[in-house]
Structure formats: C-alpha cells, structure tokens
Amino acid sequence: MSGPAPRYLVTSAGEATTVLRRMARSGWHTREGFALPEAAWDVAEQRLMLFGRVPDMDTAALAVLAAARGAAVVVIADERSEPGRAVLADLSRIGAVLRDPNVDPVDESAAHGGDGLPLTDEQRSLLDRLGAGETIAAAAEAEFLSLRTANRRIAEARKALGVRTTREAVLTYLRATRDESA
C-alpha cells in the first residue's frame, strides 16, 4: 500500500482481530499498544500497525500521536465514550477513519483512485462541488439530485469519513485528493 497508513476505530477485540489478520497478511507488522519508542519521527516506512483499547484520554493521545507519526492504528473504543469521541475526532483530522473492520484500505484505494477514502462516486462529486464553493442546493441541482438526497449522500459521506460536520468531510476529502495528485 503506497497511501497513508490506515486508521480504524472498532468496538470489539473480535473486530480488531479481523483487521489485524488481514493487514498482517498484507505485510504489516502488528504490535499491541500505542507507544512508539523509536527515535525517528516518521515511522511510515516500517509498515507498523499498533492496536489496543482506549479506555482513557492518555491512551487516546498516544494513539493519535502514533497515527500522526505514520503508524497504522486499530483503536478499540466505544465512540460514545469521551475517549472514543476524542480519538475519533483527532484521528479524523489526520485523515479518514475506517469503522468497518471488513473494509480493506488497499481495495478501497484501488477502487477509488488511490485516495483510500470509502466514498461512492456520487458522494465524491458532491464533495468536489462543495469544495469548489458551491452550496449544497447548487451541488444537488448540478448533480440532478433532490436537496434531500444530496443531504442524505453528504450525511453518508460524513459517517464513512468519521467526521461530524460537512465542512470536516469536505476538508478531509480535499486533503486526501490533493495528496493523491501530488
């Protein structure tokens, strides 16, 4: 995989195991815990996937720092808890957070032009238009969608990207597509 290291938020150890087995078969080295003792800041070339439960804010901070340094992470947390919400929000600022353990970021990357985002073509078109400054109503009209359908597609994109607001979805999408074209 040549794109960014994947970031997962799952709710159980079983879901984490699904991700870890698949990624280990793809050449990733898995290790429990989020602490990185290596002195080098960028660990992306090591294809290191860290995993573990996030029961508190300190562990959430370690997971985000590991992801920022280029490690893949599989966070086991309830997204309704304070640490779960915090780690999801912070990881989303780095890039897309996958919540489905059955989604293979390599397959997603190949299927959608290499950016690794789990979005449909319709969602991408809407986010492209919003990123260009169009309103949701104007984007919907240009894509021959009702406003309600456009809002629903954008809500689905927010969920797939693991963000709360449409603005965050557009920024995450634009960053990923900008990184892909660079």
Side-chain angles (χ1 to χ4, degrees), residues 102-178:
N102 298 310
V103 171
D104 186 346
V106 176
D107 291 346
E108 287 296 312
S109 173
H112 297 297
D115 61 20
L117 298 178
L119 299 173
T120 66
D121 291 337
E122 198 171 59
Q123 292 166 338
R124 289 167 183 281
S125 296
L126 287 168
L127 292 173
D128 274 330
R129 291 182 179 282
L130 295 176
E134 291 184 27
T135 64
I136 295 174
E141 185 176 336
E143 294 294 323
F144 303 102
L145 300 171
S146 71
L147 181 57
R148 183 176 180 175
T149 299
N151 279 318
R152 191 170 41 248
R153 297 291 186 270
I154 293 167
E156 291 165 356
R158 286 194 310 262
K159 183 176 181 183
L161 295 173
V163 298
R164 285 188 184 173
T165 68
T166 300
R167 182 178 188 176
E168 288 174 315
V170 170
L171 290 173
T172 299
Y173 175 73
L174 292 176
R175 285 183 189 129
T177 56
R178 181 182 60 221

Side-chain angles (χ1 to χ4, degrees), residues 21-55:
R21 284 182 179 157
R22 184 180 58 253
M23 298 308 287
R25 285 191 301 265
S26 298
W28 288 83
H29 306 285
T30 61
R31 194 179 86 205
E32 188 169 4
F34 297 107
L36 283 171
E38 292 84 6
W41 173 258
D42 187 0
V43 298
E45 295 300 317
Q46 296 178 23
R47 293 180 60 87
L48 182 61
M49 178 165 262
L50 305 177
F51 67 96
R53 292 199 180 278
V54 175

